[in-house]
Amino acid sequence: MSNVIPFSQALRERTWSGHGESEGAGFMTDLMNGKGSRDDYISLVTQHFFIYEAIEAAADRMKNDPVAAAFISPKLTRLPAIREDLRFLIGDDWLNQITPLPTTARYVARINHVAAVWSGGFIAHHYTRYLGDLSGGQVIRTLMQRQFGFETNGVGFYLFADIAKPREFKDTYRAQLDAVKWDAAERERVIDEVMVAYRFNTELFVDLAEAKAAAAA
């Protein structure tokens, strides 16, 4: 009997501490606990725009890659929803009113770099974003609806209308991870890149907190 741990399980276990640090960052904790403002939420959505613009452009480039293609699904596409959320939250001129924070710019550059040359790196960032959106993102949506009176406008990013059973979708995604014929060294590289993505998320929350403090000064 084989005692080899499935890659998806190893990935979750090895990156769990990084995930916890990301979710526990002060800016996000305040937003989740009702201490954040509507403007704080808008700031978060704004940074998501730049991140998902990069990752979905990368998905378009990777759609014919023999490894990455299995993970790419139009059901996951978030950019149109983010655009509509920002139109609702900021106004029709939203695109001229937003800029990426320094961490976001570095995050986008990292996605652009790895997705251009490495399917495993693309999958690492894809996994980190979308499986998180299908899990903790649903809690965020509920809390934002409760705090700010949103119905669907403003939180469309978190609504996956084409995924009726998120748990089954995530199980399939993890099975696809297990099926990829990566050797041990490549699996380590992918795990390391997931940790890179988590660090970017943590640093982004720090940037958001600092930008909020600067605006209040």
Side-chain angles (χ1 to χ4, degrees):
M1 179 181 294
S2 173
N3 291 320
V4 176
I5 298 174
F7 177 61
S8 62
Q9 180 183 340
L11 179 58
R12 292 174 74 183
E13 291 175 355
R14 294 270 302 279
T15 61
W16 182 249
S17 61
H19 181 266
E21 290 169 5
S22 179
E23 292 297 327
F27 177 89
M28 202 64 191
T29 300
D30 286 349
L31 192 59
M32 298 284 280
N33 289 340
K35 298 177 183 177
S37 67
R38 191 175 187 271
D39 284 343
D40 294 338
Y41 175 68
I42 292 171
S43 296
L44 178 65
V45 178
T46 294
Q47 301 311 307
H48 280 165
F49 168 76
F50 297 105
I51 294 165
Y52 284 84
E53 184 180 45
I55 202 165
E56 292 182 3
D60 190 57
R61 293 193 299 271
M62 280 280 180
K63 62 186 178 183
N64 295 319
D65 181 88
V67 177
F71 298 89
I72 298 168
S73 169
K75 295 179 180 180
L76 291 171
T77 301
R78 297 292 85 203
L79 200 56
I82 296 173
R83 290 191 179 107
E84 288 305 311
D85 285 342
L86 289 171
R87 184 172 289 108
F88 172 78
L89 293 165
I90 297 175
D92 289 341
D93 193 41
W94 62 270
L95 187 57
N96 293 320
Q97 299 185 47
I98 65 173
T99 55
L101 290 169
T103 293
T104 301
R106 291 188 293 109
Y107 193 176
V108 166
R110 181 71 181 189
I111 292 169
N112 289 340
H113 172 68
V114 299
V117 297
W118 176 33
S119 59
F122 165 75
I123 292 166
H125 287 276
H126 191 273
Y127 162 88
T128 302
R129 297 306 321 183
Y130 293 108
L131 261 65
D133 298 335
L134 285 167
S135 299
Q138 302 312 298
V139 177
I140 296 171
R141 171 180 59 81
T142 300
L143 290 172
M144 296 306 98
Q145 287 175 313
R146 185 180 304 158
Q147 289 178 36
F148 303 124
F150 298 140
E151 294 182 1
T152 57
N153 289 332
V155 291
F157 168 76
Y158 298 106
L159 297 170
F160 289 83
D162 296 326
I163 300 178
K165 298 179 178 180
R167 178 173 293 183
E168 290 184 9
F169 189 97
K170 290 185 291 183
D171 286 346
T172 298
Y173 192 109
R174 293 187 180 107
Q176 290 169 332
L177 284 172
D178 295 338
V180 178
K181 303 301 183 183
W182 285 322
D183 62 19
E186 183 67 0
R187 288 185 172 196
E188 286 297 313
R189 287 185 71 205
V190 173
I191 289 172
D192 287 346
E193 192 65 27
V194 170
M195 292 303 294
V196 168
Y198 282 139
R199 285 195 295 273
F200 274 125
N201 280 294
T202 301
E203 292 167 12
L204 174 57
F205 294 147
V206 173
D207 267 15
L208 285 163
E210 290 178 350
K212 178 181 179 179

